[in-house]
Amino acid sequence: MAQFESGDFQRMVQAMSSCIIVHDAATKAIVWANPAACAVLGFTLEELLPLKAPDMSAHTARYGRDIGLRWLQGAVERGINIIEWCYRSKQGEDIMSEAVATLVHLSGGDVIMVQFRDIAREEQARRQMKRLESRLKEFMQDSDEGVAVLDADGRFAYLSAAGRQLLHLDAAPGAALPLLRSLCVTDSRHELERVLALALPDGPALSLGFSTTTGAEGRRRWFQGSCRHIDIEGDLTGHLLHFRDISEQVEAARARRDQQAALEYLARHNAMGEMAGAIAHELSQPLAAIRNYIEGTSLRLRGAATDKHPAREDLLFGLDAAARQVDHASAIISSVRAYVVKLEQTEAPADLNAILADTRYFIELKAAEAGVRLAFEFAPQPLMISCEKVLIGQVILNLAFNAIEEMQRAPQARRRVQLWCQADGGRALLSVRDQGEGIAAALHERLFDGFFTSKVSGNGIGLALCKNIIGRHRGDIWAEQGAPGGALFRFALPLLPRLADSGVQQLRP
């Protein structure tokens, strides 16, 4: 093992890259400095020895001579003392340093050995971090997004103030936090745990959704955000969650669905109100005939009491005729019932031709009462669409009844309504044309708005319902000026792929 002499230690200290200045413990005067300290401060050792604190420190009160002396004296009293000190070089440059003063007992007397290192870059980085932290706090102060880190056990390793507010947790720093999964409703808890299990190190961020109940009333709240695995060495490891409260959007969507259901309920049952007048008129004829036949038969039977024997054939004729009229009335009622009771609420493949054919009976009833002639044309091939048949049938009835009502104001010779189906590229197209006064250009954009109507009586909800139904079936509905006159209402629905891919196009001339 090498043996060290006293001069060896001096040479080792002189070779150190750390800056060392030695002060006399009693007078605090500089008695020695290693080459590294001289190089950093820009002084030779001879220049450095007579200097005092003001000569080699920044010119501010916090680096005054008395403060420097108290720091060095603290090392004498306690053995070691640390301070942040801003030295000043011979060239006038400030050198922010961490200085450690240590009392050393030497054979010739006690000295204070000061080791210092330049921490200017560290100080600048610290200031930048403080500014960044302040900015982030300001930015997140009004943020509506919560930030959380969950550890491997699902506990909160970090939860931002906004996150505490969103989850309705105690906002006091250091307050105990429950497990996030314990806040979630059952079905949401399973989804949260599934996403956490899938969010692996170096993996992409995953969409996250969960739901909680908060408050004494147990109000349910919905959250949406993202989740990814993080591993910040020496700091945080776990799952980083960004989340925001979407309860208002969820509740608004639910309200829209409820409104949609209410509108569809109206659509499914509106046909009965529209058809009531026409059906009453149609039923009045067989009912009147039944009454006549029964009264005639009754008179003949009463004549039997006065020895006027009615012919058996006459009685049977009257009863048979009444029975036929009963069958006719029953057929009318059965037709109505067969249409209205189809209240399915799920989509199924259907032929638009067949839906138009199903509504034809009711359109003819309405047209007969108004003295309107009808013309129906069907596409030569099936027009298969995915729809709720009763809803699409209601749209057809609505458009047809509107056209018939428009024709009631026209001269008898012009009272004609045309309805036809056709394939138009990848769509099934249905058109209803009347011979009325047409639609003013300024009204085209407002026709399908709720509660718009050009009728003297009516609330305009019919066309709004039509637009709602067709839109939900991924289609379009619009109105055009008829040629040579009148109005043309049309709606188009996407054909099912098999027919759409065939390129069939059958346009009406």
Side-chain angles (χ1 to χ4, degrees), residues 402 439-455 459-467 477-480 489:
N402 285 348
I439 305 167
L443 301 181
H444 274 255
E445 296 298 323
R446 299 173 50 209
L447 275 176
F448 296 93
D449 291 346
F451 304 106
F452 169 79
T453 180
S454 60
K455 301 176 185 177
N459 59 12
I461 195 65
L463 291 180
L465 271 176
C466 292
K467 180 180 179 180
I477 185 168
W478 68 96
E480 303 174 8
F489 283 82

Side-chain angles (χ1 to χ4, degrees), residues 52-367:
K52 306 297 182 184
D55 301 321
M56 50 186 295
S57 300
H59 297 164
T60 59
R62 62 182 298 186
Y63 303 116
R65 177 177 171 79
D66 56 338
I67 296 176
L69 292 174
R70 285 199 299 271
W71 162 55
L72 293 174
Q73 184 60 32
V76 172
E77 296 171 356
R78 296 189 294 274
I80 189 170
N81 204 10
I82 302 173
I83 194 173
E84 281 191 3
W85 194 262
C86 189
Y87 287 99
R88 188 173 182 82
S89 71
K90 182 178 180 180
Q91 292 75 26
E93 297 177 355
D94 289 340
I95 305 168
M96 179 58 67
S97 305
E98 179 186 67
V100 181
T102 306
L103 180 65
V104 180
H105 302 289
L106 300 180
S107 58
D110 294 344
V111 297
I112 304 168
M113 184 176 65
V114 175
Q115 302 176 69
F116 67 93
R117 62 186 184 90
D118 188 345
I119 60 169
R121 291 184 179 178
E122 294 179 14
E123 184 64 22
Q124 183 181 11
R126 186 160 57 242
R127 287 196 298 267
Q128 289 176 344
M129 288 297 294
K130 288 187 70 174
R131 285 198 299 269
L132 179 59
E133 183 180 2
S134 298
R135 289 178 182 177
L136 287 174
K137 285 182 177 178
E138 288 295 326
F139 295 159
M140 295 180 66
Q141 184 70 28
D142 300 320
S143 173
D144 60 354
E145 183 176 79
V147 180
V149 176
L150 301 183
D151 63 18
D153 296 324
R155 296 184 176 87
F156 285 107
Y158 170 79
L159 180 60
S160 67
R164 289 174 181 265
Q165 291 178 354
L166 291 174
L167 296 175
H168 292 263
L169 299 175
D170 190 344
L177 296 172
L179 294 173
L180 177 57
R181 61 173 174 264
S182 70
L183 300 174
C184 297
V185 298
T186 303
D187 55 344
S188 177
R189 187 180 308 134
H190 297 324
E191 176 63 15
L192 173 66
E193 292 174 346
R194 184 186 70 83
V195 173
L196 292 177
L198 292 174
L200 302 175
D202 300 323
L206 303 177
S207 295
L208 173 73
F210 60 93
S211 179
T212 67
T213 54
T214 59
E217 72 282 3
R219 182 183 178 189
R220 187 166 182 176
R221 307 211 53 94
W222 287 264
F223 300 90
Q224 187 177 55
S226 63
C227 169
R228 67 183 180 89
H229 191 278
I230 61 170
D231 188 356
I232 304 174
E233 186 175 354
D235 192 359
L236 289 174
T237 300
H239 291 94
L240 174 65
L241 275 59
H242 293 263
F243 58 95
R244 63 186 184 279
D245 191 331
I246 59 168
S247 300
E248 290 186 4
Q249 297 94 308
V250 171
E251 290 168 359
R254 177 178 294 172
R256 286 195 298 271
R257 287 195 299 270
D258 291 344
Q259 183 183 34
Q260 175 78 23
L263 287 174
E264 291 181 4
Y265 178 85
L266 288 174
R268 288 186 175 95
H269 294 81
N270 192 44
M272 286 301 294
E274 293 281 5
M275 290 182 247
I279 294 171
H281 176 76
E282 187 75 4
L283 285 174
S284 65
Q285 296 178 3
L287 291 176
I290 292 169
R291 181 181 179 85
N292 290 335
Y293 286 124
I294 291 176
E295 285 181 349
T297 303
S298 178
L299 288 172
R300 285 173 171 75
L301 288 173
R302 286 193 185 96
T306 58
D307 297 331
K308 294 180 180 178
H309 301 288
R312 181 173 180 273
E313 291 75 11
D314 291 342
L315 296 176
L316 290 174
F317 172 79
L319 293 174
D320 289 342
R324 285 194 299 273
Q325 294 300 323
V326 169
D327 291 340
H328 180 41
S330 178
I332 295 172
I333 294 171
S334 296
S335 297
V336 175
R337 185 175 183 277
Y339 181 79
V340 174
V341 297
K342 297 176 184 176
L343 301 182
E344 68 273 11
Q345 298 188 30
T346 57
E347 290 190 16
D351 182 3
L352 186 58
N353 284 317
I355 298 174
L356 177 59
D358 287 342
T359 62
R360 181 172 184 167
Y361 174 76
F362 307 108
I363 297 171
E364 288 176 341
L365 288 181
K366 183 84 170 178

Side-chain angles (χ1 to χ4, degrees), residues 413-434:
R414 286 173 48 199
R415 294 187 183 181
R416 186 169 185 265
V417 172
Q418 298 168 275
L419 300 96
W420 70 93
C421 296
Q422 64 193 70
D424 181 13
R427 303 188 303 173
L429 184 63
L430 184 133
S431 305
V432 178
R433 173 187 287 156
D434 63 48

